[in-house]
Amino acid sequence: MNTTATYQWLEPKPYKKFTKQLGIKGRNMLVWHLVASIVVRGETPEFIAEDYRLPVEAVQEALDYYYANKDWIDVEVDEQGRRLGLK
C-alpha cells in the first residue's frame, strides 16, 4: 500500500473493516467503486466526475492511487467478490 503520498481527495475509511483501500473524502465510497467503470468499461474520468458530481481532479487522484496500488487492490476486490458469491 502506498503510504507516503498525500492526497487531497482521498482518506482512510477505518470503519470499512474488509479493506485497506482509501476512500473518497466526504463519501461512503472506496477508490475501486469510483474507478471500476473506468478500468472495466473504459469510461472517461470526465464522465465519472460528472456522474458522481466530483471534480475531475478527484477522479484522477483516485485513478492514480488505484494504478499505484493495483496489485493488492485487485486481489482485495477479487477476494471480496468471492466472499459475496460474485466470482
Side-chain angles (χ1 to χ4, degrees), residues 9-71:
W9 301 100
L10 306 179
E11 66 184 359
K13 301 291 185 184
Y15 56 88
K16 298 217 180 252
K17 304 293 184 201
F18 62 89
T19 184
K20 58 184 178 177
Q21 276 184 66
L22 296 180
I24 310 307
K25 283 185 182 175
R27 307 276 179 109
N28 186 21
M29 177 186 291
L30 296 173
V31 162
W32 175 250
H33 298 134
L34 186 63
V35 304
S37 292
I38 297 169
V39 173
V40 175
R41 293 195 305 253
E43 301 288 354
T44 66
E46 293 78 14
F47 177 83
I48 297 302
E50 185 175 331
D51 196 39
Y52 284 97
R53 296 186 176 128
L54 286 166
V56 173
E57 295 82 10
V59 177
Q60 190 59 55
E61 185 174 271
L63 200 54
D64 292 345
Y65 171 82
Y66 167 74
Y67 283 121
N69 298 285
K70 183 182 184 317
D71 292 340

